Amino acid sequence: MGSNPPSGWRRLSIGIIGGGIGGMSAAIALRRAGHDVTVYEKHDFAGEVGASVSCAANGTRWLHEWGVDVAKGDPVVLKKLINRDWKTGEPVSVYDLDDYEERWGFVYNMFHRQYMHAMLKDCALGEEGKGRPAKLRVNHQCQSIDSNTGKITFTNGVTAQHDLVVGADGIGSVVRREIGIHPAKRPSEQSCLHANVTTEEAVKLGLVDYSQHSALEYWGGQEGKWDKIVLSPCNGGKLLSYYCFFPRSVGDYSSHTWGNDDRPVEELLAPYPDLDAQVLAHLKIGKEIRPWRLWVHDPYPYIHKGVVCLLGDAGHPMMPHQSQGACMAIEDAAALGILFSENYFSGDISEALAVYDAVRLPRVTRVQSAAAKAAYNINERIGFSQNKDIPTYQVEDEKKKLTIEEMNAYDMYKDIEQALAERRGAAFREKYIRGLPVGLELPSGIIIGQEA
């Protein structure tokens, strides 16, 4: 299809509601596709707290395709996933990433959220690269949208109208409400406190220098309980970002926000009397201790209506336990960039958004479900789900577990081409099914293209 582009391509005026990681990714992708993009952000980006963001190969590949200066994000390139015993800290399950780039073409990056955001914002708004620089309007909070006309009304009284509106306004999305989706959300049975530890301070105190491992490290997760510590290095290893999970019955933070004051370190330590002494010593010097609200949303029935679509957490909030939230938002942005590019866009916005829905919903729903399972069983997590030879390995259903092959062997162009062909009544002769190559054997035993 790419060699016979449709003839009706036209430049669109596109409004993006939300200027976070997903919104800026969409701005880059749609700018690269030749459109005029304006990003509306309800805040001014001041006062953000830094936490880490995972960007596996299925996200990193799009950063490179768009020409993002990844080095600006000061990432740590991960070399291992390590699951440790809760009490002793001894490795229980290790997934080696040494051949990761060779296998999948791109590295597994770990970013500091603020650095990653600045990296994307610079690319979206800067003069360099293909397409007209996106415009940014801060302190513009969406109040209402007409999904038929693309007219947006903001709480400051300003109105704007665009050919296409992308809702990238997060888990509390106004855009989602405006297109008729009202999720029956419920607090997770799991709570989380996040804390930052500087490597320099830890080393000065004679503590373990986890930055040297270049690893995403986990304590717990094998016991079928909600308790789990996740450590991710970022800022080139200078910062250690800790996510500390425990049952909601121990501490309920479902009504708190990142913008509140820091919680006391005693609150961070309280749920973990039996934790490995090494990592507990790190938590004792934790700073910027903030609650992370965890809400469970069932999959939505659709993610577009009229000329409006949803992206990232606005369209598919998920638990964090597959480390795929940012990657799914980046993939959403990539899908929009492809669908509205000169090679694929026929000029029919409704067709493009219908295909966006058809391509993105099944994939994000699959990851959403797998992330919920990995909350209390780390063997369901991508990577660890390959380690079937450890004594504690057990998954709910071997045939349904999420695998690294599904995430990284996926070809979005082929998925979109198949969906467009089906919609246009054309033949699709490529040996791919929903973006995965026919004959690919997954560690779950499934072979793509063969009947189950």
Side-chain angles (χ1 to χ4, degrees), residues 207-425:
L207 305 181
V208 175
D209 183 357
Y210 289 117
S211 72
Q212 296 298 311
H213 301 169
S214 298
L216 196 54
E217 306 197 41
Y218 300 76
W219 281 257
Q222 295 282 354
E223 301 82 13
K225 297 188 291 189
W226 296 113
D227 301 287
K228 185 165 62 180
I229 305 290
V230 183
L231 159 63
S232 45
C234 52
N235 274 160
K238 295 183 287 293
L239 191 72
L240 303 173
S241 186
Y242 281 96
Y243 295 88
C244 304
F245 299 94
F246 45 87
R248 189 157 60 93
S249 57
V250 174
D252 187 351
Y253 297 98
S254 58
S255 62
H256 287 68
T257 66
W258 281 92
N260 285 354
D261 293 336
D262 292 350
R263 309 302 298 174
V265 71
E266 292 76 18
E267 210 167 287
L268 179 67
L269 303 175
Y272 307 125
D274 301 321
L275 180 61
D276 170 19
Q278 296 281 7
V279 72
L280 193 64
H282 272 236
L283 298 184
K284 286 177 181 176
I285 57 170
K287 305 287 193 302
E288 296 181 322
I289 300 166
R290 303 282 179 95
W292 187 10
R293 292 177 298 170
L294 299 176
W295 293 87
V296 178
H297 289 231
D298 292 328
Y300 304 149
Y302 56 89
I303 51 173
H304 91 283
K305 182 179 180 183
V307 297
V308 180
C309 67
L310 303 176
L311 178 148
D313 282 349
H316 41 80
M318 60 184 66
M319 295 287 277
H321 301 286
Q322 293 290 354
S323 305
Q324 276 286 325
C327 284
M328 289 298 99
I330 291 169
E331 282 194 0
D332 290 346
L336 291 174
I338 295 168
L339 282 162
F340 287 97
S341 69
E342 292 181 7
N343 280 349
Y344 296 88
F345 183 43
S346 67
D348 184 344
I349 292 173
S350 63
E351 176 192 66
L353 291 184
V355 171
Y356 176 72
D357 226 306
V359 166
R360 294 308 300 155
L361 258 183
R363 184 157 164 91
V364 298
T365 298
R366 173 113 172 87
V367 178
Q368 220 174 14
S369 171
K373 290 178 186 176
Y376 53 87
N377 180 2
I378 204 166
N379 296 304
E380 298 275 6
R381 200 256 185 220
I382 306 164
F384 294 128
S385 65
Q386 324 287 82
N387 290 348
K388 295 188 281 188
D389 58 345
I390 67 167
T392 51
Y393 177 85
Q394 186 177 2
V395 294
E396 184 180 295
D397 186 333
E398 190 67 28
K399 294 288 186 184
K400 293 181 180 178
K401 71 181 185 181
L402 191 64
T403 68
I404 203 164
E405 285 77 8
E406 286 173 81
M407 303 314 298
N408 292 344
Y410 173 72
D411 188 322
M412 189 184 291
Y413 284 98
K414 301 302 182 190
D415 198 3
I416 286 172
E417 287 171 10
Q418 183 178 0
L420 279 171
E422 289 171 357
R423 189 168 180 85
R424 293 171 180 173

Side-chain angles (χ1 to χ4, degrees), residues 129 140 152:
H140 277 61
I152 311 165

Side-chain angles (χ1 to χ4, degrees), residues 165-212:
V165 178
V166 180
D169 52 341
I171 193 167
S173 174
V174 172
V175 180
R176 181 174 63 218
R177 179 198 72 201
E178 288 296 290
I179 66 169
I181 299 174
H182 303 280
K185 68 178 184 179
R186 56 198 183 277
S188 167
E189 290 306 310
Q190 193 175 49
S191 288
C192 181
L193 285 171
H194 176 269
N196 285 325
V197 172
T198 63
T199 298
E200 182 181 20
E201 188 176 356
V203 170
K204 277 183 180 176
L205 292 172
L207 305 181
V208 175
D209 183 357
Y210 289 117
S211 72
Q212 296 298 311

